[in-house]
Amino acid sequence: MYLSNTKTIVFITGAFVSHSCWEEWIVFFENKGYKTAAAPWPYKNESAEELRTQHPDSRIAILRLADLIDYYTEIIEKLSEKPILIGHSYGGLLTQLLIQKELGIAGVCIHSVSPQFVLPSKRSFYKAIWKPLGFFTSTAKTYLMSFKEWQYAFTNKMSFEEQKASYEKLVIPESKLVLRDVLTQTAKINFRKKHEPLLFISGSEDQIIPSSLNYSNFRKYKNLHSITCYKEFKGRNHLVLYQSNWENTAQFIANWLEKVI
C-alpha cells in the first residue's frame, strides 16, 4: 500500500549501536510510502569503525538523557507535521518520553529500555547492564562493549559469523551517564496521562531487555482512552532490527500503523 497522505517516520537509535542499524528498515518503510529520518545521536555521525578508534570519546561521554530528549525534540519540531516515532532499545524509552511530550502521532517501542521505577526480575538484565553502567569507573570516559558482551546482550542465538559482522558494523562507544539517567526523574513516565497510540514489541530470546520487562512496561499504562498494544515475537534477541527475519517484525508494525493512524 502507498500512503495517499505521506507520513514521516523518525527512527530513534538505541545505545551502543550506530544509526546505520536502520538502513534496511528505511528502505522497507519508504517502499510503503513513508518518508523517513534516522538521525545519529550527537557526536555519532561517523561509521562505527571510526567511532571505535576515537574511544574513549569525551564528547560522547558527557551525553545525558535530557540532551537526547532536547535533540530529538528539535528534530521533530522542524518537521512539517508530527511524525510516527519508532525506537529501538534506549530509543524505545526516548519514544515513550517523546510521546509523553505529545511530539508524535504514534509510537513503536522495540525492545524498549524501561523508564524509571520499572525494574526487571531476570538476572540476565543485570548481568548485561552492570558493567556498562560503570558505577566504579570514570564518567569522563565512554564505555565500549566487548565482543563477548555483544554476543551475550545483543546477538545470542545468532551464528558466530553474524555476531562478528554485526559487531564490526554497529558497535560504538557509549556514555555511562546516559545509561545511568534511566534511574532518574528524567526517565519518568506518567502512565495515567492520555497518549497517542503506543505499540510495544518484545522478543522471547532478549537477554538485556527481557520480554517480561517489556510486558511490565506496557502494563504500566493505565489511561483507558488511549491505545496501548503489545506483541512478543518468538526467537528474537535484542538485535531484532538486524536478525534474518526482521521483515516479519517490520511488517507487523506497518500493519499496526495502518490501523491506528
Side-chain angles (χ1 to χ4, degrees):
M1 184 201 78
Y2 194 90
L3 299 180
S4 56
N5 294 305
T6 303
K7 301 296 183 183
T8 299
I9 294 175
V10 172
F11 292 108
I12 305 178
T13 312
F16 306 111
V17 298
S18 163
H19 64 293
S20 64
C21 64
W22 296 110
E23 286 175 348
E24 292 183 292
W25 286 67
I26 288 169
V27 174
F28 179 91
F29 280 97
E30 287 186 350
N31 284 340
K32 291 188 174 293
Y34 291 95
K35 295 180 289 186
T36 66
W41 285 15
Y43 313 117
K44 295 183 176 182
N45 196 35
E46 294 90 350
S47 69
E49 182 180 13
E50 176 62 26
L51 288 169
R52 287 196 297 271
T53 67
Q54 298 172 17
H55 169 71
D57 189 322
S58 59
R59 301 170 305 161
I60 293 175
I62 62 172
L63 276 176
R64 307 297 299 261
L65 174 56
D67 298 325
L68 293 173
I69 294 170
D70 291 344
Y71 173 73
Y72 280 104
T73 298
E74 184 177 354
I75 289 172
I76 291 166
E77 289 181 340
K78 288 179 179 177
L79 299 174
S80 59
E81 61 180 2
K82 290 183 182 180
I84 298 159
L85 306 176
I86 300 181
H88 172 247
S89 191
Y90 203 100
L93 171 61
L94 285 164
T95 296
Q96 290 181 250
L97 293 166
L98 293 166
I99 288 292
Q100 180 169 253
K101 291 185 65 178
E102 302 178 10
L103 290 171
I105 60 171
V108 180
C109 307
I110 305 172
H111 299 224
S112 182
V113 167
S114 55
Q116 187 190 36
F117 300 134
V118 182
L119 296 174
S121 57
K122 285 201 171 183
R123 179 179 175 273
S124 64
F125 167 84
Y126 297 99
K127 180 178 177 180
I129 203 65
W130 180 254
K131 285 182 68 178
L133 286 169
F135 284 121
F136 303 108
T137 63
S138 171
T139 56
K141 295 183 178 181
T142 45
Y143 184 85
L144 182 60
M145 186 175 287
S146 70
F147 178 57
K148 185 176 181 180
E149 290 170 311
W150 178 250
Q151 288 177 297
Y152 180 82
F154 275 72
T155 59
N156 55 302
K157 305 298 182 180
M158 292 168 70
S159 70
F160 178 84
E161 291 74 17
E162 290 173 319
Q163 292 174 332
K164 193 67 176 176
S166 60
Y167 184 90
E168 295 299 328
K169 182 174 175 60
L170 298 177
V171 174
I172 59 177
E174 194 50 80
S175 163
K176 300 168 191 174
L177 292 171
V178 116
L179 301 174
R180 296 183 194 180
D181 281 344
V182 172
L183 306 174
T184 70
Q185 282 285 110
T186 311
K188 185 176 181 180
I189 293 290
N190 179 359
F191 291 106
R192 297 190 179 277
K193 181 181 177 180
K194 187 175 181 180
H195 59 79
E196 297 296 345
L198 274 173
L199 170 63
F200 287 85
I201 299 284
S202 72
S204 65
E205 304 304 315
D206 194 330
Q207 298 193 131
I208 190 170
I209 306 293
S211 57
S212 57
L213 178 57
N214 275 254
Y215 188 69
S216 295
N217 194 355
F218 154 74
R219 288 280 293 171
K220 286 284 186 179
Y221 282 86
K222 302 297 185 183
N223 189 282
L224 298 178
H225 303 287
S226 302
I227 297 171
T228 315
C229 303
Y230 175 84
K231 171 66 175 179
E232 178 180 334
F233 283 92
K234 299 299 180 183
R236 305 299 204 276
N237 60 24
H238 196 61
L239 197 62
V240 57
L241 306 183
Y242 221 69
Q243 280 186 283
S244 58
N245 51 7
W246 66 267
E247 294 99 331
N248 295 338
T249 306
Q251 187 60 58
F252 182 90
I253 293 168
N255 294 343
W256 181 81
L257 289 172
E258 286 184 25
K259 295 174 183 177
V260 300
I261 60 172

